[in-house]
Amino acid sequence: MELWFTERQTPALGITCKVLQTLHRELTPFQEIAVIDTEQYGRMLILDGMVQLTIGDEFTYHEMLAHVPLHTHPDPRNILVIGGGDGGTAREVLRHPQVERVTLVEIDRRVVEVSKEFLPEVSCAFDDPRLEVRFEDGVAYLQQKRDEYDVILVDSPEPIGQAGRLFSGDFYRSIREALRSDGLFSAQTESPFVNQELISRVYHEISSIFPITRMYLAPVPTYPSGIWSFTIGSKCYDPMLPPRESGLTEQLRYYNSGVHQAAFQLPNFVQQFILQGGKLCEKR
Ligand code: SAM
């Protein structure tokens, strides 16, 4: 008998993959966590029925969330990751030798524990002594911070339920306060095909708070529509300028300086809806 998993990405669209094995399933106080092994993309982490990552395609998402801002800042030393309990974003940040400290604030301890057990390729940086993991609410954590971080990365789930706070103007204002005077942040901001209203709202919120706001795109085959947006708010450095030379490209599978610069070239329909605040086909 064949088993198939479907994520209903919108009320009218889904992604389906053939399941070799269900490895784990539990209900925590925050969400349902599942890990399945899929024939196409290998192991998959699912929270509340929504794909968070697969071993086959996680590199595009994690490399682009981390390396675009870390190659924009000339000397990133103190980094904060909000969410990201699977460890993939921290793994990429810790490739930068000048990074001295990474604080990862994850609300659900079990995401980290399950990732360590079932997703070793993604969670492999948790033993790095530069990484501190705190199990608390990232929104509340940020509210106590002032002038501390060079780069903040928001590796949040979909803006559903309590996670909606990670896409709010108040949250972006807390990020501004927590960043140093030349700091910048990048956040995953969902699909330009499926979440246009959200992206447009977030872009305008961030533009009203940060002097430089830029959006960039990358493919993530297992996320809704397969193409993903990230939005940067920056106090000083423009991510559209040629990126810093880090010498890391050899180790990476997706990111390089050409990809960095090309990712900010937005197709016409995306430019139109972020600039005009349009609502074309939001269904999620
Ligand atoms: N790459 C993923 C995506 O876009 O689908 C997101 C990955 S990561 C697993 C998201 C994490 O954010 C989850 O583990 C979740 O527990 C955590 N999270 C949700 N709300 C949070 C909050 N308020 N503070 C800190 N972490 C939070």
Side-chain angles (χ1 to χ4, degrees):
M1 186 182 70
E2 287 187 354
L3 286 179
W4 293 74
F5 163 76
T6 296
E7 176 191 337
R8 293 184 192 188
Q9 298 175 327
T10 78
L13 182 78
I15 184 172
T16 299
C17 39
K18 190 170 165 190
V19 181
L20 298 176
Q21 205 184 346
T22 300
L23 298 163
H24 184 77
R25 203 169 167 186
E26 73 173 272
L27 207 52
T28 76
F30 301 98
Q31 55 210 342
E32 183 193 62
I33 305 178
V35 181
I36 60 174
D37 195 10
T38 71
E39 188 167 309
Q40 186 71 41
Y41 285 118
R43 292 186 176 190
M44 174 183 274
L45 175 68
I46 303 164
L47 296 181
D48 287 336
M50 290 173 277
V51 178
Q52 304 296 303
L53 65 85
T54 78
I55 296 303
D57 72 346
E58 56 85 15
F59 64 98
T60 65
Y61 174 88
H62 290 128
E63 288 187 17
M64 289 300 277
L65 178 58
H67 294 302
V68 172
L70 269 89
H71 284 82
T72 297
H73 196 291
D75 191 22
R77 290 174 185 272
N78 193 12
I79 316 298
L80 174 66
V81 180
I82 301 286
D86 50 73
T89 298
R91 177 194 67 197
E92 294 308 319
V93 170
L94 288 161
R95 288 189 201 275
H96 291 257
Q98 70 272 61
V99 166
E100 292 166 352
R101 210 167 125 227
V102 180
T103 308
L104 186 148
V105 182
E106 162 63 57
I107 204 167
D108 190 346
R109 173 186 293 272
R110 287 298 295 152
V111 175
V112 173
E113 292 168 351
V114 167
S115 300
K116 281 184 177 171
E117 187 173 351
F118 294 102
L119 305 164
E121 305 89 333
V122 183
S123 60
C124 51
F126 277 118
D127 291 333
D128 190 308
R130 295 173 292 165
L131 176 62
E132 179 197 5
V133 182
R134 302 180 66 101
F135 296 111
E136 52 186 291
D137 175 18
V139 176
Y141 177 85
L142 262 179
Q143 282 164 358
Q144 311 148 21
K145 297 291 165 185
R146 293 280 174 281
D147 198 18
E148 206 168 316
Y149 297 102
D150 300 309
V151 176
I152 296 177
L153 303 174
V154 186
D155 189 1
S156 65
E158 295 69 10
I160 293 171
Q162 66 83 24
R165 297 174 302 145
L166 299 170
F167 294 79
S168 70
D170 285 347
F171 180 64
Y172 302 131
R173 275 184 281 278
S174 305
I175 289 181
R176 180 185 60 195
E177 299 308 308
L179 284 169
R180 290 191 175 136
S181 58
D182 63 347
L184 71 152
F185 88 101
S186 183
Q188 74 86 0
T189 46
E190 305 282 308
S191 160
F193 282 96
V194 180
N195 309 99
Q196 294 175 355
E197 198 174 58
L198 173 91
I199 293 174
S200 176
R201 181 184 61 71
V202 159
Y203 188 89
H204 286 100
E205 291 277 19
I206 297 174
S207 311
S208 70
I209 297 166
F210 285 84
I212 299 170
T213 304
R214 305 285 188 213
M215 192 179 145
Y216 60 102
L217 300 176
V220 186
T222 53
Y223 285 179
S225 84
I227 183 148
W228 215 242
S229 76
F230 302 83
T231 307
I232 286 184
S234 176
K235 292 187 176 181
C236 167
Y237 307 115
D238 187 344
M240 287 184 81
L241 294 175
R244 175 173 70 80
E245 261 310 315
S246 69
L248 285 178
T249 301
E250 297 281 293
Q251 302 174 28
L252 305 177
R253 294 175 69 198
Y254 189 79
Y255 178 91
N256 58 41
S257 62
V259 163
H260 179 124
Q261 292 180 81
F264 289 94
Q265 301 306 317
L266 301 178
N268 294 347
F269 83 100
V270 177
Q271 290 184 29
Q272 279 159 13
F273 77 74
I274 58 172
L275 295 178
Q276 296 164 9
K279 179 184 179 186
L280 300 181
C281 60
E282 175 123 351
K283 286 214 176 62
R284 202 170 190 202

